[in-house]
Amino acid sequence: MTNKRKIVDAKADSKGNISAVKLEGNSNWTSINKAKEMTKNNVVDAVYVNPSKSSDYIRQRPDKSKSNNLDDLAGL
């Protein structure tokens, strides 16, 4: 059983980049940078990705649903 926080919503900035996420049980938004740190520290149930040729990011754990992807949650 996991006690990690789940991402339930996301919002994007004017350029279409994910800027914040909402964690299960929270009414306030968490900045994407804070969420990245929380993910790296195993607090958020997501995957931290740090590719060598672009910026780091987080994503939901892979599953069969596309509706819980951060872009979809943000309406992109």
Side-chain angles (χ1 to χ4, degrees):
M1 183 171 193
T2 180
N3 291 331
K4 293 181 182 180
R5 309 284 300 277
K6 293 194 180 296
I7 297 172
V8 296
D9 202 359
K11 68 178 178 178
D13 61 18
S14 61
K15 295 179 182 177
N17 298 315
I18 302 297
S19 59
V21 296
K22 193 172 284 187
L23 301 174
E24 189 173 52
N26 280 13
S27 58
N28 296 321
W29 294 96
T30 301
S31 75
I32 194 63
N33 289 331
K34 177 71 174 172
K36 287 177 193 176
E37 286 301 316
M38 293 172 74
T39 301
K40 287 194 288 187
N41 292 323
N42 293 316
V43 176
V44 173
D45 186 24
V47 177
Y48 176 76
V49 181
N50 190 9
S52 61
K53 296 187 180 190
S54 63
S55 299
D56 63 337
Y57 60 94
I58 58 174
R59 58 183 300 155
Q60 296 281 49
R61 294 200 176 277
D63 61 14
K64 294 181 181 183
S65 174
K66 290 188 178 188
S67 64
N68 64 356
N69 293 343
L70 297 182
D71 285 347
D72 290 318
L73 291 173
L76 299 175

